[in-house]
Amino acid sequence: MFLIDSHCHLDSLNLSTRSIDKVLQDALKNDVKHCLSVATTLSGYESMRQLLTPYQKQCSLSCGIHPLNLDDEQYDANRFETLARQDNVVALGETGLDYYYQQDNIELQQTIFKEHIRLGRKLSKPIIVHTRSSKQDTLKILKEEHVHSGVLHCFTEDIDTAKQLLDIGFYISFSGIITFKNAEALREVAKYVPIDRILVETDSPYLAPVPYRGKENQPAYVREVANYLSILKGVTLDIIAQQTTNNFCQLFNLQGKLNE
Ligand SMILES: [Zn+2]
């Protein structure tokens, strides 16, 4: 079996208690053979790249600035492009809009979101989108900018939003939230989204799935997400693994590039 954690923040794990080596070994033991580690600032990207250099086969990278980190560093378009061009960077992000935690810089969030979209188009790299309490503006910008290649990560929106994203060609990524007790509405969305448009993720170190809630999340646990999804979809875990791995390779242009 070949599972992929399509979205994690390996540099944010508590590495004082266990090494990155151990984390990735534990992932392998659960058939999680590849991870996409996602940056949230450009400086964070640079140190994450260093951390993961010995693990280039098992980890791809995404380069970008999270909408809640825009105050952390001055935006530098040249620096962003230089870093985003580096090999092993398969996507831009995570980017997007978050009006839940921050509303005093909405214009800036939208501007930088568009910067990610335009650079992604220039470099032929898809975008990884975060949205919270901002689905209307997120959809509006994606449509206005004619975006067709990307993923809405850690999906928690409704069926209508999923439908609009599928219509523009987006993938939808489900996290451990689908295993949470109060997530019935989200489970309905997961049943609705076609299996050839789904990715699975942990968003480690956040959002550990049942039965690990309260613990630090890690890529190994994406197996729980995939397993839960297989039950919702009424198919085997093998089929979910195969399909979500195919989808991942399709979206991030990695067909034939991930070895066992
Ligand atoms: Zn994330």
Side-chain angles (χ1 to χ4, degrees):
M1 195 181 308
F2 197 118
L3 285 160
I4 297 177
D5 184 357
S6 75
H7 188 115
C8 53
H9 303 279
L10 294 178
D11 55 327
S12 298
L13 292 169
N14 180 359
L15 297 173
S16 64
T17 53
R18 59 188 164 171
S19 64
I20 195 74
D21 204 74
K22 172 90 168 78
V23 170
L24 292 172
Q25 283 301 326
D26 288 348
L28 283 178
K29 280 182 205 153
N30 282 275
D31 299 310
V32 182
K33 295 174 181 165
H34 198 81
C35 305
L36 174 46
S37 193
V38 177
T40 56
T41 61
L42 296 186
S43 323
Y45 162 79
E46 287 179 304
S47 44
M48 183 174 80
R49 183 179 182 86
Q50 268 194 329
L51 173 75
L52 297 176
T53 297
Y55 309 99
Q56 282 204 22
K57 283 222 167 85
Q58 206 182 335
C59 303
S60 304
L61 306 175
S62 177
C63 178
I65 309 148
H66 191 287
L68 293 175
N69 292 123
L70 298 176
D71 299 332
D72 295 4
E73 59 192 7
Q74 183 72 35
Y75 179 71
D76 178 343
N78 289 327
R79 181 182 177 208
F80 186 19
E81 179 165 345
T82 304
L83 297 177
R85 279 184 185 278
Q86 293 185 323
D87 60 352
N88 224 23
V89 173
V90 299
L92 301 196
E94 67 185 86
T95 180
L97 305 173
D98 194 317
Y99 300 168
Y100 183 82
Y101 284 111
Q102 200 167 5
Q103 298 202 338
D104 61 358
N105 67 348
I106 283 177
E107 225 173 294
L108 178 66
Q109 289 189 38
Q110 295 188 0
T111 304
I112 302 297
F113 184 21
K114 290 176 192 168
E115 290 283 319
H116 282 72
I117 290 170
R118 288 165 194 170
L119 183 57
R121 177 168 293 124
K122 185 173 175 186
L123 304 182
S124 298
K125 296 185 181 186
I127 52 168
I128 298 174
V129 178
H130 165 107
T131 187
R132 186 140 189 215
S133 304
S134 56
K135 67 177 176 194
Q136 260 145 4
D137 282 355
T138 300
L139 286 166
K140 183 165 166 275
I141 289 173
L142 289 173
K143 288 175 184 175
E144 280 174 3
E145 298 286 325
H146 306 287
V147 183
H148 302 295
S149 183
V151 56
L152 201 305
H153 108 90
C154 197
F155 192 88
T156 52
E157 304 296 338
D158 56 9
I159 286 188
D160 176 62
T161 306
K163 183 179 182 311
Q164 293 190 58
L165 288 164
L166 292 170
D167 284 347
I168 63 166
F170 252 52
Y171 288 80
I172 289 178
S173 180
F174 291 105
S175 67
I177 295 178
I178 62 166
T179 70
F180 292 3
K181 203 174 165 197
N182 59 358
E184 204 44 58
L186 184 61
R187 283 189 275 278
E188 288 307 312
V189 181
K191 286 182 197 164
Y192 167 80
V193 178
I195 189 175
D196 63 351
R197 303 291 288 283
I198 292 178
L199 302 182
V200 284
E201 67 171 86
T202 58
D203 207 10
S204 310
Y206 320 105
L207 298 170
V210 174
Y212 303 110
R213 281 201 79 173
K215 287 193 181 181
E216 185 181 67
N217 203 356
Q218 53 176 303
Y221 297 165
V222 84
R223 192 186 182 99
E224 304 300 327
V225 179
N227 195 38
Y228 204 96
L229 193 62
S230 77
I231 296 164
L232 287 179
K233 290 296 201 185
V235 297
T236 61
L237 176 58
D238 265 307
I239 290 187
I240 291 292
Q242 233 171 60
Q243 185 72 60
T244 53
T245 292
N246 281 346
N247 299 344
F248 181 90
C249 292
Q250 183 86 32
L251 174 61
F252 298 113
N253 295 309
L254 289 166
Q255 295 100 328
K257 291 183 190 159
L258 303 185
N259 347 11
E260 278 287 317

